[in-house]
Amino acid sequence: MIFKAVIFDMDGVIFDSERLYIDCNKEAARKFGITDMDMVEELGRSCIGITFEETLRKMRECLGEDFPLDEMWAYTSGLFKEKTSGGNLPVKQGVVEILEYLTDKKIPIAIASSTKSDTVKKELSEAGLLDYFDKVVGGDMIKNSKPAPDSFLKAAEELGVDSKDCCIIEDSFNGIRAAHAAGGFPIMVPDILQPDDEIRGLAGEVLGSLLEVRDYLAQQSFA
């Protein structure tokens, strides 16, 4: 393979944040009288890799129009910020190593996240990672959420390369679908969701960690 750039998703790839967000949502759900934690877990899993607006739409569809969703979401967000503020958001294994490797090789790097761009920059900055990325694309900068390819097409455009020349690193089903739809080379590093037959068919590679991704990329060519 010959690549011109590497694009990363953020939550579940750079940060070990998705399980924490689901756990915060469960705590909030209990406070607001929900007892079916299996439903909350499944709802949380179904929202991995999509935008804030799409997440609220799915939650409202599940919980009903009369449920005080805005209040519960605010409580969830408050819990999450309390646990992660000040750089306490846990970084996934191999993040610094792969970013150092790509930087040393002068390979363009971007983030394409469903999270709002201001939040993406804030979290990356607090973790001391923002300067590694040449471009940052957040969910507020695109029209359609993953599995649509918009975020990866936008990131490639920002980097000045064709999306077909990008290696795209994702952890979610919707992210892999979006990367495939963008014409890039998707690498899945599973987090909460383990790939099924569909996702294995769409992913160019399924690797166990970012350290494995770094070693894989070291065997590839970059234009």
Side-chain angles (χ1 to χ4, degrees):
M1 300 292 298
I2 300 177
F3 300 119
K4 292 184 178 178
V6 177
I7 302 173
F8 291 82
D9 177 43
M10 187 177 76
D11 292 298
V13 173
I14 300 296
F15 293 119
D16 193 5
S17 51
E18 290 177 344
R19 168 49 55 194
L20 179 58
Y21 225 116
I22 290 175
D23 288 345
C24 288
N25 206 37
K26 284 182 176 180
E27 187 174 338
R30 292 187 189 98
K31 178 177 175 63
F32 282 81
I34 298 173
T35 57
D36 187 350
M37 290 300 110
D38 288 341
M39 180 272 290
V40 178
E41 172 83 18
E42 184 58 35
L43 182 58
R45 285 170 172 258
S46 74
C47 292
I48 291 174
I50 62 176
T51 62
F52 166 74
E53 290 78 14
E54 183 66 10
T55 295
L56 288 186
R57 186 195 66 76
K58 287 176 72 73
M59 292 181 73
R60 187 166 283 111
E61 185 178 83
C62 179
L63 298 173
E65 291 293 333
D66 295 332
F67 185 83
L69 179 58
D70 291 342
E71 290 88 342
M72 191 182 91
W73 183 264
Y75 189 82
T76 299
S77 298
L79 284 175
F80 186 82
K81 289 176 182 177
E82 180 183 316
K83 294 176 186 294
T84 63
S85 63
N88 289 321
L89 192 55
V91 176
K92 298 280 284 189
Q93 179 193 30
V95 167
V96 172
E97 289 86 347
I98 192 171
L99 293 177
E100 285 282 356
Y101 171 78
L102 295 171
T103 299
D104 287 345
K105 296 294 184 181
K106 295 182 171 51
I107 297 163
I109 316 169
I111 281 277
S113 174
S114 297
T115 302
K116 291 184 178 180
S117 54
D118 286 349
T119 301
V120 173
K121 291 176 182 177
K122 176 177 179 292
E123 291 178 350
L124 289 173
S125 180
E126 288 181 343
L129 300 173
L130 181 59
D131 288 345
Y132 284 108
F133 295 94
D134 299 293
K135 299 294 179 181
V136 171
V137 172
D140 55 320
M141 298 170 63
I142 57 168
K143 180 179 180 181
N144 299 303
S145 178
K146 301 170 187 177
D150 298 32
S151 60
F152 296 126
L153 295 175
K154 177 67 172 175
E157 178 187 346
E158 290 284 318
L159 289 172
V161 299
D162 193 305
S163 59
K164 296 179 176 62
D165 296 321
C166 295
C167 175
I168 301 174
I169 303 171
E170 263 285 359
D171 70 298
S172 73
F173 285 19
N174 281 333
I176 292 296
R177 292 175 183 127
H180 183 267
F185 184 84
I187 294 181
M188 184 178 192
V189 182
D191 183 39
I192 292 177
L193 304 175
Q194 297 301 311
D196 58 15
D197 289 343
E198 177 211 352
I199 297 304
R200 286 189 177 277
L202 296 177
E205 294 285 343
V206 177
L207 299 173
S209 72
L210 290 177
L211 293 175
E212 290 185 26
V213 178
R214 178 200 60 184
D215 294 343
Y216 173 83
L217 292 176
Q219 301 172 31
Q220 311 307 312
S221 298
F222 284 86

